[in-house]
């Protein structure tokens, strides 16, 4: 597919701005930095060179012809042409993603510096609130273990509030929908696992090296056990709208949601919070789990 | 030989940036290299064709540059009647100096992945390229971090642009309290909370600020009226989205070896008949009640009483639900 004109324009302006700030630069370095061939760099510089102001023959950008022949970009003159700023979408997307990664507890150190620079330059394009409160005492050992290919022992509290100690081969920290996860191989389960960072209570780097490499096929592939259908009054809609694979049909004053269930007890726990607005729950497996859990709550709370 | 499009766009940026006042469409067509000036001695038919072709080309170029982030201003000049002119203010169009390290540039790539498709679309690559011009050159930095595409719809991107343009929008919204309906708002600010997107704006029909969850918008966000239609207040009420300053404390009894999340946040204050007592600060009562319910008997609220009642009410209601 032919390159988009705007992609090329952005790269041309990028090359110009880069050379203006860094001084004479070999084509090979520009090619590496912008991810294109040397021939493409040569062609981009030619295009910058002949850029013209309207009406007259004045060329606002001039390169040294001698240097060009030696495959070096050497700027003789640039009359105020620069890279264009980020669009509103780009600014919000970038600052929003970085802030979200930080809130989730999985922003690399360089990201913190980057966020500060962007905020200075862009006048805070988006408000980000919320924090999973993942401290450096969790993040740092994990990043160190990943960097050094070491195993790590973690204490983990799962969504069902079961606490366990496990040794894992850590691979990567991933942020999805505002929460951070550790992709790893769990030695206890002898399988690949994705663990939520804010449920890790402690992490200790071990001496042993990892034995199971990262995989592309694992990761976010929790297998749903069944599909559920729930009718809930409008005020309880929020409890179902984030369920995996959810399809919501809006009726007059209620919604019918169908979604995937991995763990019935976990879903029942979420549904309990909106029980006053719940109208029907199926299949029976999920309805049973809901009843069991409601009774257990009443046993202790009454 | 026809001038390549990237070249024409560059010439257009240079032309509109260097004009002292403005350039009209005719001036753009006649002086900027890459557009075809009116053929000399053309008959009316050829002239109309050439006019239409220029209009199409210029409109598309203008739209693409605006999407790229280049602020092309429309300048009206009463002296010259109703003919519209255009210009770019160089200081507003330029990328600020950022001086990024190679590691920081690597983080940019990760962050742009988070919204690839939904908000940035194919432009994720352009964002990285724009910032690459401000970054030092170094060996490629591999970071053991990733961000997976978030569930976001096109409405989010449209709202971001509407905020930037200060343009009123209309959309279909499904509300918790008042059902589905059409909303007309002046969007003020987009807010992200734990990965969920909201927009705060002035609701034209209800005549007060409201917060909308972007996921509940159905269909397209359509602009209404002209850009620059309203002013955005300096202090925007975050409402329920704020980190609430009002924090209360609940006393909660926990079964041994359970409710670890509550333990981490709370302070131990003793034990009683096989239960361990913790004081836990909370900002939103609903959230704490939901947490205790989800523990299925692993925790019990001792005080305050209204929270304990809310737990009982929800659990009792769950026993009444129709079973499929």
């Amino acid at each position: 597919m032919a390159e988009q004109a705007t992609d090329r324009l952005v790269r041309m302006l990028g090359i110009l701005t880069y050379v203006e700030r860094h001084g004479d630069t070999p084509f090979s370095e520009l090619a590496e930095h912008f991810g294109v061939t040397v021939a493409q760099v040569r062609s981009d510089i030619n295009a910058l060179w002949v850029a013209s102001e309207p009406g007259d023959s004045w060329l606002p950008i001039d390169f040294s012809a001698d240097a060009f022949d030696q495959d070096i970009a050497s700027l003789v003159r640039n009359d105020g042409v620069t890279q264009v700023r980020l669009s509103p979408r780009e600014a919000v997307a970038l600052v929003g993603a970085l802030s979200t990664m930080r809130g989730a507890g999985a922003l690399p150190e360089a990201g913190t510096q980057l966020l500060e620079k962007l905020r200075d330059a862009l006048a805070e394009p988006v408000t980000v609130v919320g924090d999973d409160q993942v401290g450096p005492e969790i993040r740092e050992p994990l990043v160190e273990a990943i960097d050094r290919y070491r195993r790590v022992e973690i204490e983990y509290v799962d969504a069902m509030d079961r606490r366990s100690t496990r040794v894992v081969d850590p691979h990567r920290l991933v942020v999805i929908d505002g929460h951070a996860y550790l992709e790893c191989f769990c030695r206890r389960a002898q399988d690949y696992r994705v663990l939520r960072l804010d449920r890790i209570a402690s992490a200790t780097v071990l001496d042993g090296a990892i034995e199971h490499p990262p995989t592309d096929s694992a990761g976010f592939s929790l297998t749903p056990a069944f599909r559920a259908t729930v009718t809930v009054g409008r005020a309880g809609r929020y409890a179902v709208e984030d369920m995996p694979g959810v399809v919501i049909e809006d009726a007059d004053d209620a919604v019918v949601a169908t979604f995937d269930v991995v763990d019935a007890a976990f879903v029942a726990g979420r549904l309990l919070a909106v029980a006053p607005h719940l109208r029907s729950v199926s299949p029976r497996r999920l309805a049973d789990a809901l009843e069991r859990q409601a009774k257990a709550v009443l046993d202790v709370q009454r | 030989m026809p001038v390549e499009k990237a070249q024409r766009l560059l010439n257009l940026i240079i032309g509109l940036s260097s004009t002292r006042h403005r350039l009209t469409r005719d001036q753009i067509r006649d002086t900027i290299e890459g557009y075809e000036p009116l053929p000399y001695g053309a008959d009316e038919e050829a002239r109309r064709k050439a006019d239409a072709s220029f209009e199409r080309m210029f409109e598309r170029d203008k739209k693409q540059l605006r999407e790229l982030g280049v602020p092309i201003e429309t300048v009206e000049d009463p002296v010259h009647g109703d003919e519209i002119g255009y210009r770019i203010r160089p200081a507003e169009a330029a990328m600020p100096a950022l001086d990024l390290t190679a590691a920081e540039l690597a983080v940019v790539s990760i962050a742009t992945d988070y919204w690839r498709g939904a908000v940035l679309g194919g432009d994720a690559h352009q964002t990285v390229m724009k910032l690459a011009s401000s970054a030092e050159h170094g060996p490629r930095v591999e970071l053991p971090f990733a961000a997976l595409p978030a569930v976001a719809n096109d409405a989010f991107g449209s709202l971001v642009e509407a905020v930037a343009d200060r343009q009123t929008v209309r959309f279909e919204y499904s509300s918790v309290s008042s059902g589905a309906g059409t909303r007309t708002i002046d969007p003020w600010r987009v807010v992200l909370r734990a990965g969920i997107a909201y927009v705060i704006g002035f609701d034209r029909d209800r005549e007060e600020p409201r917060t909308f969850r972007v996921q509940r918008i159905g269909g397209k966000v359509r602009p209404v009226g002209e850009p620059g239609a309203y002013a955005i207040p300096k202090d925007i009420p975050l409402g329920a989205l704020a980190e609430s300053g009002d924090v209360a404390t609940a006393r909660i009894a926990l079964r041994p070896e359970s409710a670890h999340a509550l333990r981490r946040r709370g302070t131990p204050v003793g034990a009683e008949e096989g239960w361990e007592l913790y004081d836990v600060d909370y900002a939103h009562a609903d959230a704490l009640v939901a947490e205790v319910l989800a523990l299925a008997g692993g925790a019990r609220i001792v005080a305050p009483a209204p929270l304990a009642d809310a737990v009982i009410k929800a659990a009792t209601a769950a026993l009444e639900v129709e079973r499929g």
Side-chain angles (χ1 to χ4, degrees):
Chain A
M1 198 183 77
E3 185 180 34
Q4 291 276 330
T6 46
D7 284 344
R8 182 166 187 219
L9 175 65
V10 165
R11 188 180 57 244
M12 280 160 51
L13 293 170
I15 288 173
L16 178 66
T17 303
Y18 186 91
V19 174
E20 185 160 39
R21 311 182 77 186
H22 292 82
D24 296 2
T25 311
F27 291 174
S28 56
E29 183 180 322
L30 290 169
E32 209 175 288
H33 192 72
F34 289 95
V36 289
T37 61
V38 167
Q40 183 64 57
V41 169
R42 200 175 286 126
S43 153
D44 286 348
I45 287 181
N46 262 320
L48 285 164
W49 212 339
V50 299
S52 56
E53 265 183 36
D56 49 36
S57 53
W58 169 249
L59 301 178
I61 301 161
D62 191 15
F63 290 94
S64 152
D66 288 345
F68 185 87
D69 289 340
Q70 297 165 47
D71 279 357
I72 292 170
S74 172
L75 200 55
V76 176
R77 178 181 63 238
N78 175 19
D79 192 13
V81 183
T82 63
Q83 181 59 280
V84 299
R85 65 171 196 187
L86 296 178
S87 71
R89 274 183 198 235
E90 289 174 321
V92 168
L94 191 55
V95 173
L98 291 169
S99 308
T100 300
M101 287 167 76
R102 191 178 57 182
L107 185 64
E109 203 182 310
T112 310
Q113 305 153 19
L114 172 63
L115 195 52
E116 268 167 37
K117 289 180 186 177
L118 289 173
R119 282 186 164 151
D120 286 348
L122 298 175
E124 202 70 41
V126 57
T127 303
V128 179
V129 293
D131 187 344
D132 276 352
Q133 297 178 333
V134 176
E137 75 283 1
I138 304 295
R139 183 175 54 246
E140 278 165 15
L142 292 178
V143 172
E144 186 200 329
I146 292 168
D147 281 348
R148 295 175 48 218
Y149 301 99
R150 289 291 179 269
R151 291 180 215 164
V152 58
E153 181 178 273
I154 61 175
E155 276 183 283
Y156 190 68
V157 181
D158 70 12
M160 305 302 304
D161 208 47
R162 292 174 296 231
R163 194 186 184 94
S164 60
T165 302
R166 35 178 115 185
V167 175
V168 303
D169 291 356
H171 301 135
R172 196 164 71 140
L173 300 182
V174 185
V175 175
I176 178 166
D177 280 356
H179 299 290
Y181 300 81
L182 171 68
E183 283 181 351
C184 60
F185 183 89
C186 176
R187 287 168 171 258
R188 200 180 62 171
Q190 281 298 304
D191 201 357
Y192 291 91
R193 286 283 184 268
V194 177
L195 307 177
R196 240 178 99 150
L197 235 56
D198 63 351
R199 296 189 184 280
I200 296 178
S202 73
T204 314
V205 183
L206 303 178
D207 285 335
I210 70 165
E211 287 166 359
H212 299 270
T215 166
D216 285 335
S217 57
F220 285 88
S221 61
L222 299 166
T223 318
F226 60 88
R227 211 160 159 79
T229 304
V230 165
T231 308
V232 60
R234 201 165 279 287
R237 190 185 201 270
Y238 72 91
V240 291
E241 57 195 12
D242 297 333
M243 294 290 190
V246 69
V247 178
I248 294 184
E249 282 172 49
D250 285 277
D252 284 343
D253 60 343
V255 299
V256 180
T258 53
F259 51 86
D260 293 331
V261 178
V262 178
D263 186 326
F266 172 67
V267 173
R270 296 235 341 223
L271 292 179
L272 262 184
V274 291
H277 309 290
L278 273 182
R279 307 225 175 132
S280 74
V281 172
S282 72
R284 191 137 201 120
R285 278 172 80 175
L286 183 56
D288 287 347
L290 182 66
E291 183 185 313
R292 224 173 14 249
Q293 226 152 310
K295 284 182 172 159
V297 168
L298 289 174
D299 278 348
V300 303
Q301 186 70 62
R302 252 207 287 255
Chain B
M1 196 180 83
V3 173
E4 220 208 294
K5 183 166 180 191
Q7 183 89 61
R8 181 176 77 234
L9 292 174
L10 177 61
N11 290 342
L12 183 58
I13 292 178
I14 292 172
L16 292 178
S17 306
S18 62
T19 177
R20 220 170 289 157
H21 179 39
R22 60 172 206 164
L23 292 180
T24 63
R25 284 177 180 238
D26 285 347
Q27 288 167 330
I28 288 166
R29 182 179 183 179
D30 290 343
T31 63
I32 289 182
E33 209 187 320
Y35 296 105
E36 298 292 326
L38 202 55
Y40 183 73
D43 62 23
E44 197 159 325
E45 171 74 21
R47 200 188 166 96
R48 213 172 26 241
K49 256 188 166 159
D51 281 352
S53 143
F54 165 76
E55 286 297 320
R56 268 199 311 276
M57 191 186 251
F58 176 64
E59 282 303 321
R60 212 166 47 218
D61 289 353
K62 187 155 60 76
K63 180 165 177 281
Q64 285 194 334
L65 285 184
R66 279 185 173 152
E67 281 171 1
L68 201 57
V70 181
I72 299 181
E73 271 180 59
T74 306
V75 187
E76 287 173 44
D77 185 346
V79 179
H80 295 94
D82 50 8
E83 204 186 356
I84 296 173
Y86 301 91
R87 80 169 155 205
I88 295 168
R89 291 179 198 270
E92 284 177 20
M95 170 75 82
L98 286 168
D99 288 320
L100 304 183
T101 65
E104 287 166 355
L105 187 62
V107 179
V108 171
S109 309
I110 296 172
T112 51
D113 275 347
Y114 191 68
W115 269 322
R116 191 180 291 271
V119 176
L120 284 177
D123 300 346
H125 178 67
Q126 268 176 14
T127 314
V128 179
M129 277 293 137
K130 280 186 186 175
L131 290 167
S133 36
S134 297
E136 66 175 13
H137 183 63
R140 186 175 292 278
V141 178
E142 296 283 354
L143 295 166
F145 290 85
L148 296 184
V151 187
N153 51 23
D154 190 54
F156 186 75
S158 305
L159 287 166
V160 166
E161 277 169 3
V163 170
D165 293 343
R166 289 180 290 119
Q167 190 166 20
T168 307
V169 292
R170 187 168 292 155
F171 50 79
E172 297 300 315
Y173 188 71
S174 162
S175 150
V176 167
S177 49
S178 53
T182 305
R183 304 301 186 92
T184 306
I185 71 162
D186 297 342
W188 287 345
R189 189 142 187 91
V190 290
V191 177
L192 292 166
R193 181 169 180 238
I196 296 166
Y198 302 83
V199 61
I200 299 177
F202 187 80
D203 189 318
R204 288 286 190 97
D205 300 314
R206 284 156 188 82
E207 296 190 329
E208 60 180 15
R210 288 286 172 102
T211 300
F212 302 89
R213 186 164 165 167
V214 175
Q215 215 177 15
R216 295 197 185 127
I217 294 175
K220 281 211 174 312
V221 173
R222 297 180 305 276
V224 183
E226 294 299 310
Y230 54 90
I232 295 175
K234 227 181 158 68
D235 290 312
I236 295 168
L238 280 181
L241 295 179
E243 306 283 283
S244 175
D246 301 331
V247 173
T249 304
R251 176 152 301 178
I252 303 184
L254 308 175
R255 289 268 193 226
E257 282 301 299
S258 75
H260 302 289
L262 287 170
R263 275 165 207 275
R264 266 177 67 193
R265 299 207 310 269
T267 320
V269 289
E272 181 184 282
E273 294 168 20
W275 293 85
E276 293 161 13
L277 298 178
Y278 277 76
D279 280 353
V280 179
D281 290 342
Y282 67 96
H284 302 286
D286 290 352
L288 186 64
V289 167
E291 210 174 340
V292 168
L293 281 165
L295 289 168
R300 166 170 66 88
I301 292 181
V302 179
L307 262 60
D309 292 344
V311 169
I312 292 171
K313 185 178 162 217
T316 309
L319 298 178
E320 311 282 310
V321 173
E322 188 187 316
R323 304 156 63 91

